[in-house]
Amino acid sequence: MIAVICLKLALELSIGAYNGAELFFADLDRDGRPEIIAYQGPGVFGARLYSGLPQVKPAFPKSTCLTAFRQDGARLWTWGLPNPADRPYTSHAYESCVAVGDVDNDGNMEVALADGRKVYLFDGLTGRVRAEAEMPEDNFYIVQMLGDRVVVKNGEGGYGQWRYGEPLIALDANLKPVWGPVAIPGAGHHILALKEDDVFLIGYCAVKRSGEIAWTVDSIDRAKLDPAAEHVDYTATFQQASGKLLFAFAGSNRAYLVERSGRTLFVRPGSHPQGCALGRFRDDSEFQAAYYNAPNGPIVLYDKDGNELWQRPSPRRWPLGFPKACEGRVFHRNRPLVSFSVPRAGKPAKDYIIYTDGGWPWGMDGDGNITLEFAPPPNSRQPEYELPARARADDLGYGFATKILDWDGDGINDAVIYDRRYLWVYRPTESMP
């Protein structure tokens, strides 16, 4: 019999009407524990390319609202008005429409919001608007910060000469243009700030703060790349014991494993690689790479050389009941896989592939068995709403998200699961087999 570990709930938190369609976590007061930033708004559906669609328009949010609060639920600040809590609104914000950093090097954290036509910079502790800038179009919903640069970009269909995921613009600490607009190959939906290398990882490229491309993945032909079909949906990182940093790219039509210089270790075709995770899921090698093919799987695990170890289905589990409102609807989360490390007595930590793309999250081990579960709290039962036809269920608040972070500052990462009503924290305190 395969042993299954069920982690118990450590904390449940709700801030009512101020909760978000997407949550972001950052240590705003630098006390070693993250605050929570809740985003309400349309995300990429705010662009006129999408806002009038029949599956979007009926549930378009009334406002964009950003709220920062502490772990006890105390609100630090709110910008904008929260949307009515008694009805769903459509939102597809990836995990990319908010970024946090000390962009002016004054020792205080700033929060950047990409809101389509406008970009805002807030004081992290007070919410005071420190700067705002007008964008050339209404589709800028992805933002990232590194040093004295704020980069913003489109993540979906482009206007005029710009193709899917284009363009990208760099701003300074006062949100004044520095360079751009430019097209980055495969830019897609995800930007990482690599502080040690002082570069942004955008699509298949490492981009310096100056705008110069430091390297491009060597298996990418920039001249032939189709940005609509070959963009980066998600990027995962893994640091080897040697210090070498690796990147897994879920590249829409292919799965990549790449060194930080851009050298490709392997590339494998997929039906639609939408998510990826790197970790020590098995004990027979230092790491493995997992990729999820949207919208219904499978999850595929490769070794470091790109040899397929197995494929497994990705069932959506609803332990407290499947919402009838979701029948026949697609789920398409921006972060369907994450790696979760759990300590083991006398052994190296064991990593699990956490799946979150509709339904309550669960964890799969390196043999492809679902052996890690999270005890579902009563409040995780989701309410029934009348939804617009053809709209994706997660865009209207159904399903859950999972983020792995150090919630309590003890140096051990926790699993934070959330929807638009509650946040739940699970701590890996049990010894694992």
Short mmCIF file of all heavy atoms in Angstrom, two decimals, residues 28 36 40 58 70 89 105 122 137 139 146 152 155 198-199 235 274 285-286 330 334-335 376-377 388 392 400 409:
data_model
loop_
_atom_site.label_atom_id
_atom_site.label_comp_id
_atom_site.label_asym_id
_atom_site.label_seq_id
_atom_site.Cartn_x
_atom_site.Cartn_y
_atom_site.Cartn_z
N LEU A 28 6.94 43.81 2.91
CA LEU A 28 6.88 45.26 2.73
C LEU A 28 7.56 46.02 3.86
O LEU A 28 8.13 47.09 3.64
CB LEU A 28 5.42 45.71 2.61
CG LEU A 28 4.64 45.15 1.42
CD1 LEU A 28 3.20 45.65 1.45
CD2 LEU A 28 5.30 45.53 0.10
N ILE A 36 0.65 40.52 2.36
CA ILE A 36 -0.14 40.03 1.24
C ILE A 36 -0.69 41.22 0.47
O ILE A 36 -1.21 42.17 1.08
CB ILE A 36 -1.30 39.14 1.71
CG1 ILE A 36 -0.78 37.98 2.56
CG2 ILE A 36 -2.09 38.61 0.53
CD1 ILE A 36 -0.92 38.19 4.05
N GLN A 40 -7.63 43.03 -7.35
CA GLN A 40 -8.92 42.87 -8.01
C GLN A 40 -8.90 43.71 -9.29
O GLN A 40 -8.52 44.88 -9.25
CB GLN A 40 -10.06 43.36 -7.12
CG GLN A 40 -10.25 42.58 -5.84
CD GLN A 40 -11.45 43.07 -5.05
OE1 GLN A 40 -12.30 43.80 -5.57
NE2 GLN A 40 -11.53 42.68 -3.79
N PRO A 58 -20.16 40.33 -19.63
CA PRO A 58 -21.21 40.27 -18.59
C PRO A 58 -20.69 40.29 -17.16
O PRO A 58 -21.40 40.71 -16.26
CB PRO A 58 -21.93 38.95 -18.90
CG PRO A 58 -21.63 38.66 -20.33
CD PRO A 58 -20.25 39.18 -20.56
N ARG A 70 -1.58 42.70 6.48
CA ARG A 70 -0.66 41.87 7.25
C ARG A 70 -1.22 40.47 7.40
O ARG A 70 -2.35 40.18 7.06
CB ARG A 70 -0.39 42.49 8.61
CG ARG A 70 0.23 43.89 8.55
CD ARG A 70 0.68 44.35 9.93
NE ARG A 70 1.09 45.74 9.94
CZ ARG A 70 2.28 46.19 9.55
NH1 ARG A 70 3.19 45.32 9.14
NH2 ARG A 70 2.57 47.47 9.58
N TYR A 89 -16.54 38.22 -10.69
CA TYR A 89 -16.09 39.08 -11.78
C TYR A 89 -14.97 38.36 -12.51
O TYR A 89 -14.26 37.53 -11.94
CB TYR A 89 -15.61 40.45 -11.26
CG TYR A 89 -14.48 40.38 -10.27
CD1 TYR A 89 -13.15 40.38 -10.68
CD2 TYR A 89 -14.74 40.31 -8.90
CE1 TYR A 89 -12.12 40.32 -9.77
CE2 TYR A 89 -13.71 40.24 -7.97
CZ TYR A 89 -12.40 40.25 -8.41
OH TYR A 89 -11.37 40.17 -7.50
N ASN A 105 16.13 52.70 -4.21
CA ASN A 105 17.24 52.41 -3.30
C ASN A 105 17.23 53.28 -2.05
O ASN A 105 18.27 53.70 -1.55
CB ASN A 105 18.59 52.56 -4.03
CG ASN A 105 19.72 51.87 -3.30
OD1 ASN A 105 19.52 50.85 -2.65
ND2 ASN A 105 20.91 52.43 -3.39
N PHE A 122 3.45 52.57 -5.96
CA PHE A 122 2.94 52.91 -4.64
C PHE A 122 4.02 52.76 -3.58
O PHE A 122 4.91 51.90 -3.70
CB PHE A 122 1.78 51.97 -4.25
CG PHE A 122 0.65 51.92 -5.24
CD1 PHE A 122 0.64 50.98 -6.25
CD2 PHE A 122 -0.41 52.80 -5.13
CE1 PHE A 122 -0.40 50.91 -7.16
CE2 PHE A 122 -1.46 52.74 -6.04
CZ PHE A 122 -1.46 51.80 -7.05
N GLU A 137 -0.64 51.87 -25.13
CA GLU A 137 -1.85 51.11 -25.44
C GLU A 137 -2.47 50.62 -24.13
O GLU A 137 -1.95 50.87 -23.04
CB GLU A 137 -1.56 49.94 -26.38
CG GLU A 137 -1.76 50.28 -27.85
CD GLU A 137 -3.22 50.62 -28.20
OE1 GLU A 137 -4.10 50.51 -27.32
OE2 GLU A 137 -3.47 50.98 -29.36
N ASN A 139 -3.00 47.43 -23.12
CA ASN A 139 -2.79 46.01 -22.87
C ASN A 139 -1.52 45.71 -22.07
O ASN A 139 -0.96 44.62 -22.17
CB ASN A 139 -2.75 45.24 -24.20
CG ASN A 139 -1.69 45.76 -25.16
OD1 ASN A 139 -1.05 46.78 -24.91
ND2 ASN A 139 -1.52 45.05 -26.27
N LEU A 146 13.61 45.43 -11.01
CA LEU A 146 14.97 45.00 -10.71
C LEU A 146 15.84 46.24 -10.61
O LEU A 146 15.94 47.02 -11.56
CB LEU A 146 15.50 44.07 -11.81
CG LEU A 146 16.94 43.60 -11.65
CD1 LEU A 146 17.08 42.70 -10.43
CD2 LEU A 146 17.41 42.86 -12.91
N VAL A 152 7.52 46.82 -18.11
CA VAL A 152 6.10 46.50 -18.28
C VAL A 152 5.90 46.00 -19.71
O VAL A 152 6.61 46.41 -20.64
CB VAL A 152 5.20 47.72 -18.02
CG1 VAL A 152 5.18 48.07 -16.55
CG2 VAL A 152 5.65 48.93 -18.83
N GLY A 155 0.94 40.93 -22.53
CA GLY A 155 1.07 39.49 -22.41
C GLY A 155 0.15 38.70 -23.30
O GLY A 155 0.10 37.47 -23.20
N ASP A 198 21.72 40.39 -12.36
CA ASP A 198 21.27 41.73 -12.71
C ASP A 198 20.61 41.75 -14.09
O ASP A 198 20.86 42.63 -14.92
CB ASP A 198 22.42 42.73 -12.67
CG ASP A 198 21.92 44.17 -12.57
OD1 ASP A 198 20.82 44.38 -12.02
OD2 ASP A 198 22.63 45.08 -13.04
N VAL A 199 19.75 40.74 -14.33
CA VAL A 199 19.03 40.66 -15.60
C VAL A 199 17.58 40.26 -15.33
O VAL A 199 17.26 39.65 -14.31
CB VAL A 199 19.66 39.64 -16.58
CG1 VAL A 199 21.06 40.04 -16.98
CG2 VAL A 199 19.64 38.23 -16.01
N THR A 235 8.05 29.81 -16.02
CA THR A 235 9.46 29.49 -15.83
C THR A 235 9.68 29.03 -14.40
O THR A 235 9.21 29.67 -13.46
CB THR A 235 10.35 30.72 -16.09
OG1 THR A 235 10.01 31.29 -17.35
CG2 THR A 235 11.81 30.34 -16.07
N GLN A 274 2.16 24.09 -20.19
CA GLN A 274 1.64 25.31 -19.59
C GLN A 274 2.29 25.61 -18.25
O GLN A 274 2.33 26.75 -17.80
CB GLN A 274 0.12 25.16 -19.40
CG GLN A 274 -0.57 26.31 -18.68
CD GLN A 274 -0.70 27.55 -19.53
OE1 GLN A 274 -0.67 27.46 -20.75
NE2 GLN A 274 -0.88 28.70 -18.91
N SER A 285 18.58 10.69 -8.37
CA SER A 285 19.39 11.72 -9.03
C SER A 285 19.13 13.06 -8.34
O SER A 285 18.22 13.19 -7.52
CB SER A 285 19.07 11.80 -10.52
OG SER A 285 17.69 12.05 -10.74
N GLU A 286 19.95 14.06 -8.69
CA GLU A 286 19.89 15.32 -7.96
C GLU A 286 18.59 16.08 -8.20
O GLU A 286 18.06 16.74 -7.30
CB GLU A 286 21.06 16.22 -8.35
CG GLU A 286 21.11 17.52 -7.56
CD GLU A 286 22.25 18.43 -7.98
OE1 GLU A 286 22.94 18.10 -8.98
OE2 GLU A 286 22.43 19.47 -7.32
N VAL A 330 -13.74 25.04 -18.86
CA VAL A 330 -12.29 24.87 -18.92
C VAL A 330 -11.66 25.54 -17.70
O VAL A 330 -12.11 26.59 -17.24
CB VAL A 330 -11.73 25.49 -20.21
CG1 VAL A 330 -10.21 25.51 -20.20
CG2 VAL A 330 -12.26 24.72 -21.42
N ASN A 334 -2.60 30.09 -14.43
CA ASN A 334 -1.29 30.54 -14.85
C ASN A 334 -0.16 29.79 -14.16
O ASN A 334 0.95 29.74 -14.66
CB ASN A 334 -1.13 32.03 -14.55
CG ASN A 334 -1.59 32.39 -13.14
OD1 ASN A 334 -2.80 32.49 -12.92
ND2 ASN A 334 -0.69 32.55 -12.18
N ARG A 335 -0.41 29.19 -13.02
CA ARG A 335 0.65 28.51 -12.26
C ARG A 335 0.14 27.12 -11.85
O ARG A 335 -0.14 26.87 -10.69
CB ARG A 335 1.01 29.36 -11.03
CG ARG A 335 2.27 28.94 -10.32
CD ARG A 335 2.65 29.92 -9.20
NE ARG A 335 1.57 30.10 -8.25
CZ ARG A 335 1.01 31.29 -7.95
NH1 ARG A 335 1.42 32.37 -8.56
NH2 ARG A 335 0.04 31.37 -7.07
N PRO A 376 -8.73 19.51 3.49
CA PRO A 376 -9.56 20.63 3.01
C PRO A 376 -10.39 21.23 4.12
O PRO A 376 -11.18 20.53 4.76
CB PRO A 376 -10.44 19.96 1.95
CG PRO A 376 -10.52 18.53 2.37
CD PRO A 376 -9.22 18.20 3.02
N PRO A 377 -10.26 22.54 4.38
CA PRO A 377 -11.09 23.18 5.41
C PRO A 377 -12.52 23.36 4.92
O PRO A 377 -12.77 23.44 3.71
CB PRO A 377 -10.40 24.53 5.62
CG PRO A 377 -9.68 24.79 4.34
CD PRO A 377 -9.29 23.46 3.78
N PRO A 388 -21.33 33.55 -16.95
CA PRO A 388 -21.52 33.75 -18.40
C PRO A 388 -21.15 32.49 -19.17
O PRO A 388 -20.24 31.75 -18.79
CB PRO A 388 -20.55 34.89 -18.73
CG PRO A 388 -20.25 35.55 -17.42
CD PRO A 388 -20.36 34.49 -16.38
N ARG A 392 -14.15 30.75 -18.76
CA ARG A 392 -13.37 29.77 -18.02
C ARG A 392 -13.68 29.89 -16.52
O ARG A 392 -13.84 30.99 -15.99
CB ARG A 392 -11.88 29.97 -18.27
CG ARG A 392 -11.48 29.67 -19.70
CD ARG A 392 -9.99 29.71 -19.92
NE ARG A 392 -9.39 30.98 -19.56
CZ ARG A 392 -8.31 31.49 -20.15
NH1 ARG A 392 -7.73 30.82 -21.14
NH2 ARG A 392 -7.80 32.64 -19.78
N PHE A 400 -8.43 26.97 -7.22
CA PHE A 400 -7.53 27.48 -6.19
C PHE A 400 -6.16 27.75 -6.80
O PHE A 400 -5.84 27.28 -7.88
CB PHE A 400 -7.41 26.46 -5.05
CG PHE A 400 -8.73 26.08 -4.44
CD1 PHE A 400 -9.48 25.03 -4.97
CD2 PHE A 400 -9.25 26.79 -3.37
CE1 PHE A 400 -10.72 24.68 -4.43
CE2 PHE A 400 -10.49 26.45 -2.83
CZ PHE A 400 -11.21 25.40 -3.36
N GLY A 409 8.77 33.04 8.40
CA GLY A 409 10.15 33.49 8.56
C GLY A 409 11.06 32.53 9.28
O GLY A 409 12.10 32.94 9.81
#
